[in-house]
Amino acid sequence: MKKLISYVTLSMLVAMLLVACTPKNETSKEKEETVQEGKITTREDANSNYLSAVDVDYAYNFTKSLEEFKTNEKLGYRTAGSEAELKTGEKIGEEMKKIGLTEVTKDEFTLDTWTFEKADLTFTDAEGKEYLAVLGGYQTNFDTDGEKEFEIIYAGKGTEADLEGVDVEGKLVLVDINQREEWWINYPAYQAHLKGAAAVIAVQEAGYSEVDPDALNAQDIIGPADAPAFSMSQTDANSLKEALKATEDSTMTVKFDAKSTVEFDGKTYNYYGKIIGKDPDSYIILSAHYDSYFTGFQDDHAAIGLMMGVAKGLIDSGYKPEKTIIFNALAAEEWGVSDTRYDWSTGAYNQIFNVHPEWVGKAFANMNFELPAYEHTTQDEIRSVYELNNYLTQFAEKVPTVEGVYKDGISVVSPLRTWSDDFSFAIAGVPALRNDFQDSDFMRSHYHSQFDNEDTYNEDALKFHLNLYGLLAMHYDETAVVPLDFTTRLKALKDDVNAEVFEKAEVSSEELVTEIDRVIATAEEVNARVAKVNEDYLAALTKGDSDTAKKLYEESRDLNSGLLAAFKYAEDQFVRLTWEDEPIFPHKHAQNNLDNLTLSIDALNEGDISSALDEYLWAIDNNWYAYDFDKEVFDYFTDYVLEAPKEKLMWGNGRIVGHEDLFDTINSLQEKSEQANADVTAELEKLNGALERQKELLKTTVADETASVKELGSMLTELK
């Protein structure tokens, strides 16, 4: 099953690594020599030794071994702070020592824990037979203390309208959901909770778990622990719905045996080990998370297998790094804090913000891994912060192919998204990247279901990523200063200015654009200096001239520190989030709202209520949820973003620019949408008020952005 590496491409890799540092009057051999383990080894040998030593079978076998511990005997689950997660972490720590990593460390942090043991629902089907449905769980509290009888009803999508006039007190409420196209599980769960329901049982009708009608789904709850929710397959739900139809009042009694436990302020652990380099305090960090839903083969055990495979490959090849390479297994990525919008990436956030904030300013990069043993598309994607895009694009051309996967090569895309641990590292100030997966059909089909198992394994994809990220770690190791190019972010900021919206809002973008252009020119001068330093450093390493390499490295520490400080400043000033967790530039919040408010006002002035509702108003902040859920639900999930303490918001803290509450306006327009010649004067007044507020917000955010661009320019000027 193994495929051979393309040796033509490998030769190209070596040639490209050497071309920038080999004068025509000297042979490659004379220029390549370095000292490793007391013998002369060429740079070509360092790469080929790794490619020969890295072992895809080891990576796969360790991936499979992580299935050993589980909280739910039928379904799996290794969740935040559970006994299964704790034991799995210990296993990884021991393996780190076994393969030769040093200073293996167990880092404790505080979080909310979740243990999901069981959720078995038994009912009599339409044919009179006993039917057992095994359910998945969400991070909520629900303990029947053994089998217990409940009434169950079907309530459509569980919206305010679906529950209107329905008695759900103490009952189980079966609902359909599409978490990709409609809303997250917290909304119907909390709506039913307010009506007194015992729990919601959600069936994914589309969006996730589309691989099979038997598929269950699991996601983070982003809601309170006392609004219980469970997951049921389409197959089981169809049988249950048929049985309910056969009853006189569309309700029936079922038996439910469930135990799901959330405990607050618990403990879990991140683990890391090192390959210590000549500079023990300069880091390249590789990471992956080890908690999982169900079996979690791709998400994220294969990523742990990849990380450990790279570590073992580097050690077994005899590689002696210049910098210290850290391999970090992170807990509680899927969930870790109750009752917050930002309840995932808990382990990574704690690791870099609370446990090891001293890594910031010392770490060249974080390479984070997710779902790496599957060919998501024919072109492999690396998703990175803006500043690494050009560096990674150039490197991608040098990665050897593996026959059978990624026939269209590698693309690099920016910016990072929030769905994985790299985002926490990046906003802390560590330039980060990951193997991308979010645009794959896998997200709709297998992701967070029990079908994410070894049947999805693609050996060639895992082999490709072992090669790619091992070589990338070594490539980073050959740089004296972090290869950050600020022109990419600045150009993206400039491109994101919608001149038409600015003009309508009577806000000038001239000063911002002028400053961006000025700082781009400065950044290009910095790029030239960085390239020269790194080129000279690589040439010295390639010659085996350790004295020159050491001198260049020591002389460039201020430049390196300045680049990382500028990067952290850029992340602090220019990364904000939408209400749907998409990274945006600060002005984009008001810019988006102004566009949609203007169009909705125009539609209403033309008597077109439907277009205002269907095309524009829903896209303003989180007002989508005003259409289907009541005011108490809407306010709850608005306020817990705007008013929560920092420790609850974690990586989302300070990233939301503002909020326009259009709940009453939207509901009023919904009531009038069927009326002929409806009077919408009051609604227009509300929307025009919102329009003026957003104009002011655009002015202030653009002024702040302009000042931030100037300050970034000052920081970069000092580095020229």
Side-chain angles (χ1 to χ4, degrees):
M1 291 175 65
K2 294 182 180 178
K3 302 293 192 298
L4 296 176
I5 296 169
S6 168
Y7 287 97
V8 173
T9 309
L10 178 55
S11 298
M12 290 175 62
L13 164 65
V14 175
M16 293 180 76
L17 286 170
L18 299 176
V19 68
C21 57
T22 306
K24 293 181 180 179
N25 62 346
E26 294 185 56
T27 68
S28 295
K29 191 70 174 179
E30 290 170 332
K31 295 290 291 181
E32 290 168 17
E33 292 177 342
T34 61
V35 178
Q36 288 190 357
E37 293 186 326
K39 63 180 181 179
I40 299 298
T41 305
T42 65
R43 304 300 296 178
E44 178 181 352
D45 285 342
N47 290 289
S48 62
N49 285 350
Y50 171 76
L51 293 172
S52 297
V54 71
D55 185 352
V56 69
D57 289 335
Y58 166 79
Y60 168 78
N61 289 332
F62 191 64
T63 296
K64 281 293 294 174
S65 76
L66 297 177
E67 298 174 12
E68 179 180 0
F69 303 111
K70 61 188 74 173
T71 66
N72 186 306
E73 286 302 316
K74 294 178 180 177
L75 297 176
Y77 286 80
R78 280 156 295 285
T79 50
S82 66
E83 190 69 17
E85 185 187 65
L86 298 178
K87 288 181 177 179
T88 302
E90 291 284 357
K91 180 185 183 77
I92 293 168
E94 289 303 312
E95 185 69 13
M96 287 178 170
K97 297 173 185 176
K98 182 178 177 181
I99 65 175
L101 292 175
T102 59
E103 297 186 13
V104 174
T105 303
K106 177 181 180 180
D107 288 327
E108 180 182 286
F109 65 94
T110 301
L111 81 170
D112 297 333
T113 70
W114 178 44
T115 301
F116 174 49
E117 296 182 36
K118 58 184 175 178
D120 296 340
L121 189 144
T122 306
F123 60 93
T124 302
D125 67 17
E127 297 178 356
K129 297 179 181 178
E130 186 173 86
Y131 191 109
L132 172 63
V134 177
L135 309 187
Y138 292 88
Q139 301 88 349
T140 55
N141 278 313
F142 196 87
D143 187 359
T144 60
D145 193 21
E147 193 172 75
K148 183 178 178 181
E149 289 189 346
F150 289 89
E151 280 189 76
I152 191 167
I153 62 169
Y154 173 58
K157 292 183 176 292
T159 64
E160 178 186 17
D162 288 326
L163 297 180
E164 183 68 29
V166 179
D167 178 15
V168 300
E169 184 73 33
K171 298 177 183 177
L172 302 176
V173 181
L174 181 68
V175 302
D176 297 316
I177 194 169
N178 182 331
Q179 288 182 254
R180 183 177 292 273
E181 277 85 24
E182 293 178 341
W183 41 73
W184 212 244
I185 183 65
N186 56 321
Y187 281 88
Y190 196 63
Q191 184 74 72
H193 172 68
L194 292 178
K195 297 285 186 178
V200 158
I201 298 175
V203 184
Q204 290 287 340
E205 60 180 8
Y208 293 102
S209 299
E210 293 180 355
V211 61
D212 192 281
D214 290 340
L216 297 166
N217 186 248
Q219 303 287 356
D220 60 313
I221 190 69
I222 63 171
D226 62 352
F230 296 90
S231 169
M232 178 179 277
S233 73
Q234 292 179 11
T235 299
D236 293 342
N238 288 338
S239 292
L240 181 55
K241 289 174 185 177
E242 287 298 316
L244 285 167
K245 286 179 185 177
T247 65
E248 191 171 312
D249 57 356
S250 296
T251 184
M252 62 186 294
T253 299
V254 299
K255 296 177 181 178
F256 198 28
D257 185 8
K259 188 172 184 180
S260 174
T261 307
V262 171
E263 296 183 345
F264 303 105
D265 299 323
K267 302 291 184 184
T268 195
Y269 305 90
N270 297 326
Y271 290 80
Y272 70 89
K274 298 177 179 178
I275 304 176
I276 298 176
K278 294 176 184 175
D279 183 351
D281 294 320
S282 185
Y283 310 132
I284 300 165
I285 304 170
L286 284 68
S287 63
H289 71 86
Y290 67 91
D291 61 316
S292 67
Y293 296 120
F294 301 103
T295 301
F297 181 87
Q298 296 286 351
D299 184 15
D300 206 26
H301 290 167
I304 292 288
L306 169 62
M307 182 184 74
M308 299 294 283
V310 171
K312 189 173 186 297
L314 290 171
I315 292 168
D316 291 352
S317 72
Y319 186 71
K320 301 298 181 184
E322 302 298 318
K323 303 171 187 64
T324 294
I325 307 176
I326 293 175
F327 299 86
N328 201 176
L330 299 164
E333 189 267 357
E334 302 292 2
W335 180 90
V337 178
S338 185
D339 201 17
T340 175
R341 172 94 199 173
Y342 312 103
D343 60 4
W344 69 98
S345 194
T346 309
Y349 173 81
N350 276 278
Q351 188 75 348
I352 197 61
F353 277 90
N354 297 328
V355 182
H356 289 293
E358 76 280 3
W359 287 358
V360 177
K362 298 179 180 179
F364 268 55
N366 166 238
M367 292 186 273
N368 189 57
F369 306 136
E370 289 266 3
L371 292 73
Y374 186 87
E375 186 181 20
H376 294 282
T377 61
T378 58
Q379 186 176 59
D380 194 35
E381 279 191 350
I382 302 173
R383 182 167 289 278
S384 79
V385 296
Y386 286 112
E387 286 77 7
L388 291 177
N389 193 290
N390 290 335
Y391 172 79
L392 293 170
T393 298
Q394 293 170 9
F395 168 76
E397 299 174 358
K398 308 171 186 180
V399 178
T401 60
V402 171
E403 183 183 342
V405 289
Y406 305 122
K407 65 182 180 64
D408 296 319
I410 302 171
S411 65
V412 182
V413 292
S414 299
L416 289 181
R417 292 168 173 167
T418 61
W419 276 37
S420 50
D421 286 332
D422 38 274
F423 185 77
S424 289
F425 278 93
I427 62 171
V430 179
L433 62 101
R434 72 157 187 261
N435 62 298
D436 205 16
F437 61 93
Q438 280 184 246
D439 297 324
S440 168
D441 288 341
F442 190 95
M443 296 293 289
R444 286 184 172 274
S445 59
H446 297 72
Y447 178 74
H448 285 187
S449 80
Q450 74 270 43
F451 288 85
D452 176 7
N453 56 39
E454 65 181 300
D455 291 343
T456 67
Y457 177 52
N458 185 321
E459 180 180 354
D460 298 326
L462 184 57
K463 178 66 174 176
F464 182 86
H465 288 127
L466 285 164
N467 294 345
L468 165 59
Y469 290 105
L471 292 174
L472 181 55
M474 290 190 283
H475 196 56
Y476 266 114
D477 198 36
E478 296 168 347
T479 58
V481 294
V482 63
L484 297 175
D485 179 354
F486 291 89
T487 65
T488 307
R489 189 190 298 261
L490 291 165
K491 289 174 182 176
L493 173 58
K494 181 179 176 180
D495 290 344
D496 207 35
V497 173
N498 186 321
E500 183 179 351
V501 173
F502 272 62
E503 184 178 354
K504 287 181 179 179
E506 299 179 326
V507 176
S508 173
S509 61
E510 184 177 352
E511 185 181 4
L512 174 61
V513 171
T514 299
E515 281 301 319
I516 291 171
D517 287 339
R518 183 183 66 81
V519 179
I520 286 173
T522 302
E524 287 172 343
E525 293 185 64
V526 174
N527 289 348
R529 184 186 176 196
V530 169
K532 183 66 167 65
V533 170
N534 282 337
E535 180 182 336
D536 291 346
Y537 181 68
L538 177 59
L541 289 177
T542 303
K543 286 192 301 183
D545 186 350
S546 59
D547 290 340
T548 299
K550 182 178 180 181
K551 183 172 183 292
L552 286 166
Y553 189 80
E554 290 176 348
E555 289 175 348
S556 62
R557 290 311 82 205
D558 286 345
L559 173 59
N560 189 68
S561 296
L563 286 165
L564 288 171
F567 172 75
K568 186 179 188 310
Y569 181 81
E571 288 286 303
D572 287 342
Q573 301 304 312
F574 301 121
V575 179
R576 297 295 180 265
L577 297 175
T578 70
W579 280 83
E580 295 301 319
D581 317 312
E582 288 295 321
I584 54 171
F585 291 108
H587 76 267
K588 185 69 174 288
H589 181 103
Q591 180 176 279
N592 175 73
N593 286 351
L594 282 166
D595 191 27
N596 285 291
L597 282 165
T598 300
L599 291 168
S600 65
I601 290 168
D602 290 345
L604 290 178
N605 281 326
E606 294 172 3
D608 187 357
I609 296 176
S610 294
S611 290
L613 285 170
D614 296 344
E615 298 181 29
Y616 309 124
L617 294 176
W618 65 267
I620 298 168
D621 297 339
N622 67 337
N623 286 286
W624 167 251
Y625 303 103
Y627 288 68
D628 291 287
F629 299 95
D630 69 24
K631 183 74 164 126
E632 189 171 354
V633 174
F634 180 83
D635 286 346
Y636 187 92
F637 293 121
T638 300
D639 293 345
Y640 84 155
V641 170
L642 298 178
E643 299 176 3
K646 178 181 178 181
E647 58 269 20
K648 278 281 192 182
L649 296 174
M650 295 194 298
W651 49 266
N653 181 52
R655 304 282 166 180
I656 292 289
V657 177
H659 182 258
E660 282 295 337
D661 184 346
L662 302 179
F663 185 93
D664 292 337
T665 300
I666 287 169
N667 276 257
S668 176
L669 288 171
Q670 285 179 309
E671 291 175 4
K672 295 179 179 181
S673 61
E674 300 300 323
Q675 301 175 16
N677 302 316
D679 181 3
V680 294
T681 303
E683 290 81 5
L684 280 169
E685 183 180 352
K686 292 287 187 182
L687 293 178
N688 278 302
L691 187 71
E692 292 306 310
R693 287 192 295 275
Q694 290 300 307
K695 286 179 180 179
E696 280 302 310
L697 181 61
L698 184 63
K699 286 180 185 178
T700 58
T701 52
V702 169
D704 289 344
E705 276 183 338
T706 303
S708 296
V709 171
K710 286 181 180 178
E711 178 60 24
L712 179 62
S714 297
M715 297 175 78
L716 294 177
T717 297
E718 295 180 4
L719 305 179
K720 291 195 298 183

